[in-house]
Amino acid sequence: MGGRSSSPLDKRQQQHLRGGLIQAPHCLLIPAGQVDALLRNFLPLYRGQLAASILKQISRELGPQELAGCQLLHSKKLPRVREHRGPLTQLWGHPPQWQPVFCVLRGDGRLEWFSHREEYENGGRPLGSTALTGYTILTSQREYLRRLDALCPDSSGDHTQEEPDPLLEMPVNFPLFLQHPFRRHLCFSAATGEAQRAWRLALQGGIRLRGTVLQRSQAPAALAFLDAIRLYRQHQGHFGHDDVTLGSDAEVLTTVLMRELLPELRAQTLPGLRGAGRARAWAWTELLDAVDAVVLAAASAGLRAFQNEKDELLAALERTIRPDVDQMLRQRARVAGRLRAEVQGPLESCLHRKVDVQLPRVTQTLLNTVEAALVAVQALLAQGMDRLSRHLRGKPSGVRLRKEVYSFGEMPWDPELMQTSYREAERSQGRLRQLVAPFGFLGTQSVVFGAQDLAQQLMADAVTTFLQLADQCLTTALDCNQAAQQLEKVRGRVLKKFQSDSGSAQKRFIRRWQICIFLPFVLSQLEPSCKAGLPEFEGDVLAVGSPALTIEGIYEDVIQGVLLQRIDRELKKALGASDVSCALDGCSEAPWDQEGADEETEAQRGTFSRQPGSCTEVQPLCLLPSPGTLRS
């Protein structure tokens, strides 16, 4: 099936999606102004969370800093997907047929396909393209057909009397099915099993990169956006965390609205869809794709329209909060103390009855998830450093050594190499899903992506550290054997630094996801008994006169603080650590500032992005040449 290059909705229908009733194919009606209504309800929450996020940032700056910081140097390379391209066969057209295409996976996680290689090489326009956010890859034709049949549950399920199915007319030996809940499916086939595996790994990297763009950012705007989405969904009655926050800000808003629209879309559309079975299911995915595209465009336009106001608001908040931050924090502490006394009884009862029993199991499962991934990274890192030492002892040519150094620097972005670590992060997903489902947590894919991002980040930091330390100890006076001995010493230092940072990162990872799992559940349990008493504290908060302090925000902080005490005690048992009270936003967890995660640009940060293949971070050993001298 094709990409997003065509739409069942004409321009008039697309325009009316925002402002009026739109009559789509099959008599689909979408209520007026759904996107505008979403933004009207969401943006006030976003403004409030921007203020709260600025207050948190300033309070962290003014508070005591951790004595033990990151041991590894921080990689300045932006996360990216290694570009992948090659011929595939795609099911597309009307009627759909398997046709050869040339596909290109861009470094930003966008997939494009062309009619042939020459069209791509000559700079032609692609036949179609899509951002990989939210897709699932299937390599089993039977599993894909099963899921396709399930899209229209009112179908009889008997496909024997249907017209010939294009998917079945030509058996697919090495399929790559990209399924999305709100977009048309992309059906590809590779020529060999090796090509299929390479594409699967590359596409999985693109899906993760696009999905975790907000989670990797520590910018106040990104953190505020995620908090605002959580509050918006809580106001809609959805307390459990799930994978709705995967993607950019506009994509997240689109997913939220598409989920709200889905029951109505099904009720209005499915009875009138022509065809049967899989043809009917395909028509349904095409219709969803058209609606999704229009909603995404409208959400993007709405956020762009808010951009100037947001920039001005952030600047104004910085000016007004910083001078009064001490007074605000003192008042917050007073209100929090009174609130804690008010909710202590119901909160302790809820934690004792509902959370304490499962907390050890969830902690251990999260620990297994992240620990196994980081152990695999450490092994890969050690192997890469050993390989460099061996090549250096073998007195390679300068060209060969530069190639090996480049390969070492590219390790974090090599999907085949990193697959061993990524696979370890996935092993506990089924177990974790069973444990957390009773708490309404449906975000296990986000947990796995988070562990994989962390593994890649620590690998990139370790590679950067090794190359810089090597540059400091290598001189032109050393021969190759002496240089190899120096690299072995650097190897030991880097592994010690890696172990230190990975231990701290594990604690923060577990704390973060424990909060995501249990906090929404506890809030939902306490809402009937505790939420009603909040208005009596409102006056104390309003007296401060700042949007950064709200009674609801202080209430949630109180609940989270008590919950974290439970989590830290359990972490101490699981890890045998004497102190696990590290901040959630510590340095070794701080992710890369992903371009596009928020409106903060590389120029504003005063840094410059590295292009794939750049030697900027591997400069020291890039200059190592032939035997006898270590610099060209």
Side-chain angles (χ1 to χ4, degrees), residues 190-409:
T192 65
E194 182 180 358
Q196 180 197 48
R197 173 180 169 80
W199 272 108
R200 177 176 61 82
L201 296 180
L203 291 169
Q204 285 174 340
I207 292 170
R208 176 172 57 86
L209 177 82
R210 302 286 307 197
T212 58
V213 63
L214 287 171
Q215 283 80 357
R216 289 194 307 272
S217 177
Q218 290 295 300
L223 299 175
F225 181 86
L226 292 173
D227 280 338
I229 286 292
R230 179 180 58 81
L231 289 176
Y232 173 83
R233 300 192 73 234
Q234 285 181 187
H235 293 170
Q236 303 294 316
H238 302 292
F239 278 86
H241 181 99
D242 61 19
D243 293 324
V244 72
T245 56
L246 292 176
S248 67
D249 49 6
E251 289 171 328
V252 170
L253 285 178
T254 299
T255 300
V256 168
L257 183 54
M258 289 298 293
R259 288 190 181 186
E260 294 178 5
L261 290 174
L262 194 58
E264 185 176 1
L265 292 174
R266 283 188 175 278
Q268 293 184 8
T269 305
L270 285 181
L273 280 177
R274 294 182 179 179
R278 290 162 188 157
R280 192 162 174 264
W282 277 22
W284 169 244
T285 64
E286 288 187 342
L287 188 58
L288 282 179
D289 183 85
V291 177
D292 182 88
V294 176
V295 172
L296 178 60
S300 299
L303 289 172
R304 284 195 302 271
F306 179 63
Q307 179 63 42
N308 288 338
E309 178 188 341
K310 185 180 77 173
D311 291 341
E312 294 173 0
L313 179 59
L314 286 170
L317 288 168
E318 174 73 22
R319 289 193 306 269
T320 57
I321 291 176
R322 190 172 291 276
D324 298 328
V325 66
D326 289 338
Q327 177 187 351
M328 294 172 63
L329 293 178
R330 284 195 298 269
Q331 183 66 3
R332 178 195 173 280
R334 284 193 290 267
V335 176
R338 293 174 55 201
L339 265 176
R340 189 178 298 109
E342 188 77 15
V343 305
Q344 188 75 22
L347 175 57
E348 288 292 338
S349 176
C350 174
L351 293 175
H352 179 70
R353 291 183 293 108
K354 305 285 188 176
V355 174
D356 289 351
V357 175
Q358 290 296 333
L359 188 57
R361 297 189 184 97
V362 174
T363 300
Q364 191 60 51
T365 304
L366 287 170
L367 178 59
N368 293 341
T369 299
V370 67
E371 186 178 43
L374 297 186
V375 167
V377 166
Q378 182 174 334
L380 291 171
L381 177 65
Q383 292 168 11
M385 293 186 292
D386 290 342
R387 189 166 57 249
L388 274 181
S389 294
R390 287 197 303 271
H391 279 289
L392 197 53
R393 287 185 183 279
K395 300 181 180 180
S397 67
V399 173
R400 175 65 184 274
L401 186 57
R402 281 193 289 271
K403 181 179 178 181
E404 293 299 330
V405 171
Y406 175 76
S407 296
F408 179 78

Side-chain angles (χ1 to χ4, degrees), residues 139 189 191 249 273 374 378 429 494 507 518 574 590:
T139 55
S189 174
D249 49 6
L273 280 177
L374 297 186
Q378 182 174 334
Q429 188 172 8
V494 170
K507 299 169 190 174
F518 292 115

Side-chain angles (χ1 to χ4, degrees), residues 145 148 159 162-170 278-279 282:
L145 292 176
L148 192 66
H159 306 288
E162 294 178 16
E163 297 180 0
D165 193 312
L167 279 171
L168 299 180
E169 288 178 355
M170 180 184 295
R278 290 162 188 157
W282 277 22

